[in-house]
């Protein structure tokens, strides 16, 4: 026989508090009774099936009742949860939902305003301290000799302390044994002294060999069980934080050949060094630092505007598009400054110098990003407000000094004069 379909009333849910729902009692009286024995011969069904359709305007129930079942259905209300409504009326649940949505929207707008203010304040602080650091670094580079070397040693000491703190962090130390604290502190002092020894002796090989021997001996003679991870992380710290930055001293102070072609040499005041101040080392240092700054700036702008393809998993925010824009900005800056300073005299040499500076800065940035990723931190420290730690600011310069010095001294004939 054909089944009969009974359409139940529409039900709208009203959002209430959890405590109220927990104390509410259900007054539902919807049940079914089996067919009396006298009708058992005419009944072939013993189950009732419900199909529940839910939409945005309410809840509509359809009950499919087979012949042979007696259903006692009365109007029911679940207190605090559902209420009956007519199709042409606006339910209280819809009104409550609108109020909740307005509250959530206003709360979201407040959070967005606070986030915008925080980012604006951080950007302002970043710009102010960045300009201050730029002016200070420019004065130190122009001063040269001991002023430049002492400032570099201070930065090396702070960077080495941040490096060994990263090595001891939970993210890296969970998979290896970090060096003892007395060894890491001794390495920080040794890294700080390396630039000073480089300026005094004119070369760095003896100081690095002596430092490596001292550190290896201290690790092997320590109490307990020495581990290879202690030796490897410490040796890399000496190389990364001490040996590589010392090449900036060799570049700035070691290449003392004057660049007589530059227009600044003839008009520079005698009290500030005269025409002998404008050396190959000063030109190479200024162009290298300026091109690295241009590479970072253009890569950031290009990545924000055109970035689509990730460059590497080490730093997910870096893109190929940003890297290409940064390469173009680095080479352009190198060529323009070469025209202004009249060094190097060959445009091709200036292009190659910019190309080398870009890849040195990119490799240094990715290396520091890999260390921070394994350490599980965003910044290497909090020394510079708005910029993080010292390693976050100088990571692009760590490898570049050695590459720039080797390029000028080995590949440029007559040092590019």
């Amino acid at each position: 026989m054909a089944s009969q379909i009974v359409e139940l009333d529409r039900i709208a849910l009203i959002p209430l508090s959890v405590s109220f729902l927990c104390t509410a009692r259900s007054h539902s009286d919807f049940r079914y009774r089996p067919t009396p024995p006298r009708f058992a011969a005419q009944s072939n069904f013993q189950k009732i099936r419900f199909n529940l359709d839910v939409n945005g305007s309410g809840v509509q129930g359809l009950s499919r009742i087979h012949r042979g079942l007696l259903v006692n259905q009365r109007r029911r209300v679940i207190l605090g949860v559902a209420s009956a409504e007519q199709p042409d009326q606006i339910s209280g649940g819809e009104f409550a939902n609108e109020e909740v949505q307005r509250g959530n929207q206003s709360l979201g707008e407040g959070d967005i305003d606070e986030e915008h203010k925080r980012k604006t304040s951080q950007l302002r602080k970043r710009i102010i301290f960045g300009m201050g650091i730029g002016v200070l670094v420019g004065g130190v580079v122009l001063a040269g000799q001991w002023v430049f070397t002492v400032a570099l040693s201070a930065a090396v000491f702070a960077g080495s302390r941040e490096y060994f703190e990263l090595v001891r962090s939970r993210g890296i130390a969970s998979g290896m044994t970090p060096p003892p604290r007395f060894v890491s502190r001794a390495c920080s002092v040794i890294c700080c002294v390396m630039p000073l020894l480089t300026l005094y002796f004119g070369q760095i090989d003896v100081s690095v060999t002596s430092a490596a021997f001292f550190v290896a001996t201290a690790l092997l003679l320590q109490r307990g069980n020495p581990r290879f991870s202690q030796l490897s992380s410490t040796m890399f710290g000496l190389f990364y934080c001490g040996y590589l930055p010392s090449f900036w001293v060799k570049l700035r102070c070691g290449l003392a050949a004057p660049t007589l072609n530059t227009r600044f040499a003839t008009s520079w005041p005698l009290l500030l060094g005269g025409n002998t101040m404008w050396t190959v080392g000063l030109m190479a240092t200024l162009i290298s630092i300026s091109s690295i700054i241009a590479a970072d700036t253009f890569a950031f702008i290009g990545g924000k505007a055109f970035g689509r393809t990730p460059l590497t998993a080490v730093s997910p925010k870096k893109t190929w598009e940003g890297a290409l824009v940064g390469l173009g900005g680095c080479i352009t800056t190198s060529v323009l400054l070469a025209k202004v300073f009249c060094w190097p005299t060959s445009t091709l040499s200036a292009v190659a110098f910019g190309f080398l500076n870009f890849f040195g800065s990119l490799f240094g940035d990715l290396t520091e990003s890999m260390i921070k990723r394994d350490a599980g931190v965003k910044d290497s420290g909090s020394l510079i407000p708005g910029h993080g730690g010292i390693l976050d600011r100088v990571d692009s310069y760590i490898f570049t000094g050695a590459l720039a010095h080797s390029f000028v001294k080995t590949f440029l004939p007559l040092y590019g004069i």
Side-chain angles (χ1 to χ4, degrees):
M1 298 181 181
S3 302
Q4 296 180 356
I5 299 177
V6 179
E7 185 173 4
L8 302 181
D9 296 333
R10 298 176 60 191
I11 299 175
L13 297 180
I14 303 176
L16 296 174
S17 64
V18 177
S19 61
F20 185 79
L21 293 178
C22 293
T23 58
R25 297 182 58 187
S26 175
H27 295 276
S28 176
D29 188 14
F30 184 78
R31 62 185 183 272
Y32 74 94
R33 298 195 306 266
T35 306
R38 63 179 178 270
F39 296 108
Q42 301 177 4
S43 175
N44 296 324
F45 302 92
Q46 294 296 332
K47 295 182 180 180
I48 183 170
R49 185 177 63 184
F50 293 92
N51 296 329
L52 185 63
D53 297 331
V54 181
N55 52 36
S57 60
V59 179
Q60 182 177 5
L62 294 180
S63 175
R64 187 178 301 275
I65 305 175
H66 299 280
R67 183 181 298 273
L69 291 180
L70 297 180
V71 180
N72 183 11
Q73 178 181 355
R74 294 184 300 178
R75 180 178 298 273
R76 67 196 186 281
V77 177
I78 301 176
L79 182 59
V81 178
S83 64
E85 66 168 355
Q86 298 298 329
D88 56 345
Q89 293 179 349
I90 300 178
S91 67
E94 294 179 354
F95 178 76
N97 288 333
E98 292 178 0
E99 293 296 328
V100 172
Q101 291 178 359
R102 291 196 192 101
N104 292 336
Q105 185 176 3
S106 61
L107 182 61
E109 292 176 354
D111 292 340
I112 293 175
D113 292 339
E114 291 295 332
E115 182 70 15
H116 179 69
K117 291 179 181 179
R118 186 186 66 83
K119 289 184 178 180
T120 303
S121 176
Q122 185 176 6
L123 180 60
R124 186 184 301 111
K125 187 184 300 184
R126 187 183 184 95
I127 293 175
I128 293 175
F129 278 91
M131 294 177 62
I133 294 173
V135 173
L136 180 62
V137 170
V140 169
V141 171
L142 289 176
Q145 297 302 319
W146 286 104
V147 176
F148 177 80
T149 306
V150 170
L152 181 63
S153 296
V156 165
F157 179 77
S160 61
R161 294 297 300 155
E162 292 180 356
Y163 166 78
F164 284 105
E165 288 298 324
L166 292 176
V167 171
R168 301 185 66 87
S169 65
R170 182 179 302 177
I172 296 180
S174 60
M176 56 165 280
T177 303
R181 286 195 177 274
F182 78 93
V183 174
S184 62
R185 292 169 181 171
C187 288
S188 298
V189 175
I190 293 173
C191 292
C192 175
V193 175
M194 280 185 183
L196 301 175
L197 296 178
T198 302
L199 179 64
Y200 185 79
F201 291 106
Q203 49 87 25
I204 195 177
D205 298 335
V206 176
S207 60
V208 172
T209 305
S210 302
F213 177 78
F214 169 78
V215 171
T217 303
L219 288 174
L220 293 175
L221 296 180
Q222 66 173 319
R223 293 181 179 179
N225 186 19
R227 305 299 297 271
F228 176 73
S229 59
Q230 296 176 325
L231 182 64
S232 59
S233 60
T234 305
M235 290 301 171
F236 181 77
L238 290 175
F239 172 77
Y240 184 72
C241 300
Y243 177 74
L244 291 176
S246 298
F247 276 94
W248 283 104
V249 177
K250 300 184 69 173
L251 179 66
R252 171 63 184 92
C253 307
L255 302 179
T259 55
L260 302 178
N261 294 328
T262 179
R263 66 189 69 177
F264 297 101
T266 57
S267 59
W268 193 253
L270 184 63
L271 294 176
L272 298 179
N275 56 357
T276 58
M277 175 183 173
W278 294 92
T279 61
V280 171
L282 177 59
M283 295 291 100
T285 304
L286 289 176
I287 293 177
S288 183
I289 292 177
S290 301
S291 59
I292 292 173
I293 294 175
D296 292 340
T297 304
F298 278 91
F300 176 79
I301 296 175
K304 287 292 185 181
F306 311 106
R308 296 294 183 274
T309 308
L311 180 62
T312 175
V314 173
S315 184
K317 292 184 178 181
K318 290 182 174 57
T319 60
W320 280 103
E321 293 81 1
L324 293 177
V325 175
L327 175 61
C330 184
I331 294 177
T332 302
T333 303
S334 179
V335 172
L336 290 178
L337 291 180
K339 297 297 182 181
V340 173
F341 294 141
C342 299
W343 184 94
T345 55
S346 172
T347 304
L348 182 61
S349 299
V351 172
F353 193 52
F355 191 85
L356 190 68
N357 285 323
F358 172 77
F359 278 98
S361 65
L362 180 62
F363 185 77
D365 194 352
L366 293 178
T367 301
E368 202 245 351
S369 297
M370 179 181 62
I371 297 175
K372 291 191 298 183
R373 184 194 62 178
D374 288 350
V377 298
K378 180 181 179 182
D379 298 323
S380 62
S382 58
L383 181 63
I384 307 174
H387 291 264
I390 190 69
L391 284 180
D392 295 321
R393 293 299 93 202
V394 303
D395 54 358
S396 300
Y397 302 87
I398 292 179
F399 290 93
T400 315
L403 295 176
H405 177 267
S406 301
F407 177 78
V408 174
K409 192 170 183 179
T410 304
F411 295 101
L412 288 185
L414 297 177
Y415 299 152
I417 301 175

